[in-house]
Amino acid sequence: MSDNNLTNKAMNIKSHRLSKKEIDDNFSDLHAPLSAIEALIEADRCYFCYDAPCTKACPSDIDVPGFIQSIRSDNLTGAAEKILSENIFGGMCARDCPTEELCQQACVRNDHEEKPVEIGSLQRYATDSVLNNGVQLFSRQENTGKSIAVVGAGPAGISCAHRLAVLGHKITVYDAKDKLGGLNEYGIAAYKTPNDFAQQELDYILDIGGINIKTGMQLGKQINLEGLQEKYDAVFLGCGLGTVNKLNLDNEDISGVVDAVEYIANLRQTSNKDELMVGKNIVVIGGGMTAIDIAVQSKLLGAEQVTIAYRRSKNIMAASEYEQALAKKHDVQIQYNMSPKLLISDDSHVTAIEFDVMKSQNDGSLKASGENITLKADVVFKAIGQKLVTEGLTENNSLEIEKGRIVVDEHRKTSLTKVWAGGDCVLDGDNLTVSAVQDGKLAAISINETLTQGA
């Protein structure tokens, strides 16, 4: 590993816990794609509701009954166009959206049967068709002569860049990493996006043209917001959250206490997952999607005992019921009301972690019950959220920041003239790919109106 503090210093941390074939099998596609017959049968289950609740539940405003009707007519290009015109990352969102909490939860079939229409699978069926066959659905309008800087090549930034490029603007995307994709490339569990799908989808999106890419460019180092404002007609910030929160425990920097986000990124980039260092007894601190992803992937790499410890109760855990069930299906233990108290180490490597068992008070606050639980651990993953890095962002300007995030209006406009923002870096974001894509789209529409109509 690079600098993520996970080495073979402890006896129980090692690579090759499973054979390469076992690991390759474990990280194969989480859900097999629908066949043509299966897709037609599933599409026939749709009621094609007027004022469809599934569309209302979709953060990116996709006409769900409309694209399903196109699938029924065997018009996959038409179906894909309905999806991608609203959500250019429709292929990735078909794989990683929490559909059980969004469109499929709203499906009217839930009122009549146990099972909603498999909207996510149908969306994948339609979008895979155009991506696999290289059917480009978009073209650039005449050059407007306007130039826009986009900071961050994740879902928000690339969504914004694509929409603006279609409208004829010249776009320059800046990203700190050498590889584009942001969360889609580095942050989503590997078993949800096998076969390098993130890069395949990105290549399709950038094929529109008019998007200049500059990698290795980090805010606060090679670029800053003030300079971008001077150089471009508009700036979009889709810079995400650059650093992780701390547990705030003594000796937190000891060996074996690891940033889950960094480990997942390394896992996504390695070509030989069987060579990754993996612990025997793993404790994950957190309650969101990252906690579930690192826990499940640790089991898939061969860890024997994996426990997620969440500070609050089950009913307010950020990870969905589906994700929690997925973790339990892979024999991950989830313990609630556990607040980390003490890291126990031997020879500067973590060996266990002690928790306060918490009790909820009438006002919703938490209080230690006086009971403690200690879990054996040769690896402790921190998955307790990330925070915005403000270097290069807030110097010499009045960019409004609240609760550590950038404040935007309904058009994703910030407090600064010429600057818009979206994705994880903005206040009240919900950390979903689909929401980041929507932010980028709405910002692009607003930027275009401002630059062409003076709105």
Side-chain angles (χ1 to χ4, degrees):
M1 307 303 297
S2 55
D3 59 349
N4 66 7
N5 216 15
L6 184 53
T7 69
N8 60 355
K9 185 173 182 178
M11 291 288 290
N12 285 332
I13 298 177
K14 61 183 182 180
S15 59
H16 302 288
R17 285 195 171 276
L18 300 176
S19 70
K20 185 174 188 311
K21 183 179 185 312
E22 287 174 312
I23 289 179
D24 287 345
D25 289 344
N26 285 347
F27 282 89
S28 60
D29 213 339
L30 179 62
H31 301 293
L34 296 177
S35 67
I37 294 297
E38 289 170 334
L40 289 174
I41 292 171
E42 194 61 28
D44 264 342
R45 296 184 61 239
C46 181
Y47 286 142
F48 305 103
C49 305
Y50 175 75
D51 210 14
C54 51
T55 290
K56 289 183 176 179
C58 174
S60 59
D61 303 326
I62 291 174
D63 176 6
V64 176
F67 89 73
I68 293 178
Q69 183 64 267
S70 294
I71 290 175
R72 286 183 76 220
S73 305
D74 200 27
N75 178 9
L76 296 189
T77 300
E81 187 169 17
K82 288 183 174 67
I83 297 164
L84 299 178
S85 62
E86 293 293 346
N87 180 348
I88 194 61
F89 283 95
M92 181 61 79
C93 289
R95 289 163 169 79
D96 82 336
C97 247
T99 53
E100 70 280 358
E101 293 187 337
L102 299 173
C103 55
Q104 290 184 191
Q105 185 184 58
C107 178
V108 177
R109 278 278 180 186
N110 287 310
D111 297 333
H112 303 156
E113 305 174 6
E114 290 185 356
K115 184 183 174 187
V117 175
E118 293 183 28
I119 298 169
S121 296
L122 289 171
Q123 181 167 312
R124 175 175 173 175
Y125 177 72
T127 53
D128 279 4
S129 173
V130 298
L131 264 64
N132 291 337
N133 293 302
V135 179
Q136 183 52 259
L137 300 174
F138 303 93
S139 60
R140 275 172 59 76
Q141 296 178 14
E142 186 177 350
N143 189 359
T144 64
K146 302 292 185 182
S147 62
I148 298 103
V150 171
V151 181
I158 296 298
S159 169
C160 183
H162 180 266
R163 179 64 63 123
L164 289 169
V166 168
L167 292 167
H169 304 298
K170 182 179 179 182
I171 314 301
T172 300
V173 175
Y174 294 90
D175 197 274
K177 296 183 180 297
D178 294 331
K179 201 171 182 181
L180 307 183
L183 177 70
N184 287 358
E185 176 57 40
Y186 293 97
I188 295 175
Y191 57 84
K192 293 178 180 174
T193 60
N195 305 320
D196 207 20
F197 177 77
Q199 290 303 303
Q200 180 192 357
E201 186 176 51
L202 196 58
D203 290 343
Y204 178 85
I205 294 170
L206 296 179
D207 186 55
I208 183 72
I211 302 175
N212 183 30
I213 302 295
K214 291 184 178 293
T215 57
M217 306 293 280
Q218 185 173 347
L219 270 173
K221 293 185 177 178
Q222 293 82 11
I223 54 174
N224 60 61
L225 183 55
E226 191 175 23
L228 295 175
Q229 286 178 279
E230 291 176 0
K231 186 175 180 180
Y232 294 94
D233 295 300
V235 178
F236 176 78
L237 299 171
C239 46
L241 302 172
T243 188
V244 297
N245 292 320
K246 295 177 71 68
L247 295 171
N248 292 319
L249 298 179
D250 291 339
N251 67 338
E252 187 171 334
D253 294 329
I254 59 174
S255 174
V257 180
V258 177
D259 167 15
V261 173
E262 183 181 346
Y263 188 89
I264 290 172
N266 287 343
L267 191 155
R268 282 292 305 273
Q269 298 306 304
T270 186
S271 56
N272 296 307
K273 294 182 180 63
D274 55 313
E275 294 181 352
L276 286 173
M277 304 296 288
V278 184
K280 177 180 177 182
N281 298 298
I282 291 175
V283 175
V284 179
I285 311 297
M289 296 286 286
T290 301
I292 299 289
D293 282 353
I294 190 62
V296 171
Q297 291 185 116
S298 295
K299 289 294 291 187
L300 297 180
L301 289 170
E304 293 184 15
Q305 178 69 42
V306 179
T307 303
I308 293 174
Y310 177 51
R311 196 165 67 95
R312 294 182 178 273
S313 58
K314 181 179 187 298
N315 62 339
I316 57 174
M317 191 170 177
S320 68
E321 287 280 350
Y322 168 81
E323 292 288 339
Q324 293 181 54
L326 181 67
K328 291 175 181 176
K329 179 182 175 183
H330 287 86
D331 294 326
V332 172
Q333 304 297 310
I334 302 179
Q335 296 198 23
Y336 307 95
N337 301 307
M338 302 262 285
S339 180
K341 178 183 181 181
L342 177 66
L343 289 163
I344 301 167
S345 64
D346 179 14
D347 193 23
S348 298
H349 187 96
V350 67
T351 56
I353 179 167
E354 182 179 319
F355 295 88
D356 279 324
V357 177
M358 309 300 288
K359 281 189 174 180
S360 296
Q361 306 301 296
N362 291 334
D363 62 359
S365 63
L366 291 174
K367 183 177 180 181
S369 66
E371 180 185 355
N372 296 325
I373 291 178
T374 300
L375 297 178
K376 186 188 298 184
D378 35 68
V379 177
V380 172
F381 279 118
K382 297 184 288 186
I384 53 174
Q386 297 173 272
K387 60 183 179 181
L388 180 70
V389 175
T390 58
E391 281 79 9
L393 204 56
T394 55
E395 297 90 347
N396 304 317
N397 64 52
S398 56
L399 181 67
E400 186 177 359
I401 303 285
E402 186 178 326
K403 297 179 181 177
R405 307 288 176 95
I406 301 169
V407 177
V408 295
D409 66 12
E410 69 271 24
H411 305 294
R412 295 355 181 221
K413 180 83 172 66
T414 74
S415 57
L416 297 179
T417 303
K418 297 170 60 174
V419 181
W420 286 253
D424 292 352
C425 66
V426 302
L427 185 65
D428 296 329
D430 56 14
N431 300 326
L432 295 177
T433 301
V434 65
S435 299
V437 175
Q438 179 74 350
D439 283 350
K441 181 180 77 179
L442 295 179
I445 292 169
S446 177
I447 291 170
N448 179 64
E449 290 177 352
T450 300
L451 296 184
T452 60
Q453 304 170 21

